[in-house]
Amino acid sequence: MAKKEVRTCFNCSEHMPPETEHFIIDGDPYCKGCVEVREYTACQYYLAGDFMGDSENDDRVDHIQDYDDEYEES
Ligand SMILES: [Zn+2]
């Protein structure tokens, strides 16, 4: 019988089956219980009317909703 690989939280080792809301931080999966989500209002910066950037330019974290999770266990 093949070894069963299951996805677990990198922080607390909780099993995260397919279709589970979770986070990917620096390439490692984390469960919903370990990651605190703080909502905030992003700022956008304009210089003389031209958009220069915003405060949401951190792409280290992916927030995957359960309905977007396409992970499959073998
Ligand atoms: Zn966890």
Side-chain angles (χ1 to χ4, degrees), residues 9-14 16 30-35:
C9 173
F10 199 71
N11 185 59
C12 72
S13 299
E14 178 169 303
M16 297 189 292
Y30 293 85
C31 75
K32 209 177 158 187
C34 287
V35 179

Side-chain angles (χ1 to χ4, degrees), residues 1-70:
M1 195 173 150
K3 187 182 170 222
K4 200 167 188 180
E5 294 282 340
V6 299
R7 180 179 55 186
T8 58
C9 173
F10 199 71
N11 185 59
C12 72
S13 299
E14 178 169 303
H15 178 211
M16 297 189 292
E19 297 183 14
T20 298
E21 181 181 359
H22 65 288
F23 299 83
I24 303 290
I25 302 177
D26 290 341
D28 295 314
Y30 293 85
C31 75
K32 209 177 158 187
C34 287
V35 179
E36 180 187 0
V37 179
R38 295 188 184 182
E39 305 224 358
Y40 73 106
T41 303
C43 297
Q44 295 181 321
Y45 307 111
Y46 292 83
L47 177 61
D50 289 329
F51 180 67
M52 293 288 128
D54 60 40
S55 57
E56 287 188 313
N57 54 12
D58 184 354
D59 54 18
R60 289 178 63 194
V61 179
D62 274 334
H63 183 177
I64 292 92
Q65 296 290 346
D66 47 7
Y67 48 79
D68 281 333
D69 185 15
E70 293 173 353

